[in-house]
Amino acid sequence: MSGAGRSTAANTLEDLGWYVVDNLPPSLLPRLADLASRTAGSVPRMAAVVDVRSLAFSLDLRAALEDLAGVGMTVRTLFLEAADDVLVRRFESVRRPHPLQEGGRILDGIQAERRLLEDVRGDADVVLDTSALNVHQLADAVRRAFDEAASHGVRATVMSFGYKYGLPVDADLVVDCRFLPNPHWVPTLRPQTGQDPDVRDYVLSRPGAREFVDRFSDVLGIVTDGYEREGKHYATLAVGCTGGKHRSVAISEELARRLRAAGAEVTVVHRDLGRE
C-alpha cells in the first residue's frame, strides 16, 4: 500500500546487500532478472518495488511472477499495509495526494488501491502491517524476513494479542485461548503478565491447556513443513485472549519454546502487553 513503508523496506534490503530497483513496472521484472542473470553471479539477490499506477498492475505482476518462477528463480513477495486512518495521517503529514486519489479524498485513493491489491495481498509470502511500527521497527521486521538466513527453513513470529484491540491483520494463523480461565479474576495474578512464572504456571495448569498446546504444536509442525515445500519462509502465528496480557502471552511463550526446540527460528511479539 502506498504510504505503508515501501521506501524503508527497500533501503533495508539494500543495506542487506540486495540490488534494489524502485518503481519498476511489473512487466519489466523478467527483463531485469534476465539482465541480472548475465552478471556471472555478481547480482544474486534483487528486489523490485512495484507501483500501482500501472492500470494493468495486478495482471502484469502475476504474469511476471509466473515468468520468473518458470525460469527457476526463487521469488518472494512482500506486501506492506497499514490501517486506513494511519495511511491518511501519513499522506496528510507530507501534504501529498494519494496516487489513485484522482481529485477525490485521500481515503478514496486508499480504498481504490486496496481493491486493486486484493489478489496481490492474498498471494504474498510475507504480509507486514506497519500501522504501529516506526521506521526502525519496520526495518527490523524486514531484516528478520529477508536476511541471509531467511532462505533456510521457516522463520516464525509468534504474536500474542487482545481481541478487544482487534485481530492482527498480518497473521497467517490465529488461535483463540479464551477458553482458559482468565488470571485477571485472580487478585494476586491480575497485576502480573503471562511472562511471570506464577501466571504461566496458572495458565498451563488449567484443564485443556497442555492438551491444546500439545495438539496445536503438532498442527504447526504439519503447517511449517508445508510452508517449506511451498517456498514460504516467514509465518506469523497470532494467539489471542481478551486483553493480550495473561493467557495469550503465556501460551505464546510456550509455543515459541516448543518451536525453538524443534529447530525453528522464532521471534516473540506481545502486541498489546502494557496497553491496558
Side-chain angles (χ1 to χ4, degrees):
M1 292 290 295
S2 300
R6 292 178 306 187
S7 296
T8 297
N11 291 338
T12 302
L13 290 173
E14 198 163 54
D15 291 342
L16 290 173
W18 292 61
Y19 180 80
V20 180
V21 179
D22 199 1
N23 291 333
L24 186 75
S27 59
L28 295 182
L29 279 170
R31 185 175 299 178
L32 175 67
D34 179 60
L35 291 173
S37 68
R38 303 180 187 181
T39 63
S42 63
V43 184
R45 299 178 298 173
M46 297 177 300
V49 181
V50 293
D51 198 301
V52 297
R53 282 175 282 194
S54 167
L55 294 179
F57 173 84
S58 58
L59 292 176
D60 285 352
L61 181 58
R62 175 164 289 181
L65 295 179
E66 289 175 353
D67 287 346
L68 292 175
V71 296
M73 291 208 164
T74 300
V75 182
R76 298 173 66 199
T77 307
L78 167 65
F79 188 93
L80 300 177
E81 66 180 358
D84 286 355
D85 60 321
V86 174
L87 292 174
V88 169
R89 288 197 301 271
R90 289 176 182 175
F91 276 103
E92 288 178 341
S93 69
V94 296
R95 299 182 181 181
R96 295 191 63 185
H98 187 279
L100 300 183
Q101 191 170 334
E102 297 182 351
R105 302 174 303 164
I106 292 174
L107 186 58
D108 295 330
I110 292 170
Q111 292 173 345
E113 186 175 23
R114 284 203 192 281
R115 291 191 295 270
L116 184 62
L117 295 179
E118 281 180 351
D119 289 342
V120 177
R121 186 196 186 282
D123 290 337
D125 299 289
V126 181
V127 179
L128 292 178
D129 179 11
T130 70
S131 301
L133 303 182
N134 60 36
V135 292
H136 306 293
Q137 292 167 329
L138 173 55
D140 185 56
V142 172
R143 279 192 292 269
R144 291 199 308 268
F146 287 92
D147 68 11
E148 190 67 35
S151 61
H152 304 289
V154 175
R155 309 188 74 182
T157 296
V158 181
M159 176 191 299
S160 69
F161 73 95
Y163 275 93
K164 69 179 182 180
Y165 302 116
L167 287 168
V169 298
D170 52 348
D172 297 293
L173 298 169
V174 178
V175 291
D176 185 354
C177 60
R178 289 176 294 180
F179 70 92
L180 296 170
N182 193 346
H184 175 81
W185 303 114
V186 180
T188 58
L189 299 180
R190 182 179 299 178
Q192 301 184 57
T193 77
Q195 292 178 311
D196 293 308
D198 289 345
V199 174
R200 180 195 63 217
D201 294 344
Y202 175 88
V203 171
L204 294 177
S205 67
R206 297 308 92 184
R210 291 285 181 183
E211 183 180 12
F212 170 76
V213 174
D214 288 344
R215 294 192 179 185
F216 194 68
S217 296
D218 291 340
V219 170
L220 287 178
I222 296 170
V223 171
T224 53
D225 287 347
Y227 278 173
E228 285 197 62
R229 288 192 297 270
E230 294 299 313
K232 181 176 175 63
H233 301 290
Y234 187 86
T236 298
L237 163 64
V239 182
C241 64
T242 303
K245 178 179 179 180
H246 296 112
R247 293 166 291 179
S248 63
V249 173
I251 295 294
S252 294
E253 293 284 355
E254 178 63 15
L255 287 171
R257 185 187 68 79
R258 296 192 181 202
L259 285 169
R260 291 190 183 106
E265 185 167 349
V266 183
T267 299
V268 180
V269 177
H270 299 302
R271 191 192 72 174
D272 299 321
L273 192 59
R275 189 167 178 175
E276 78 285 348

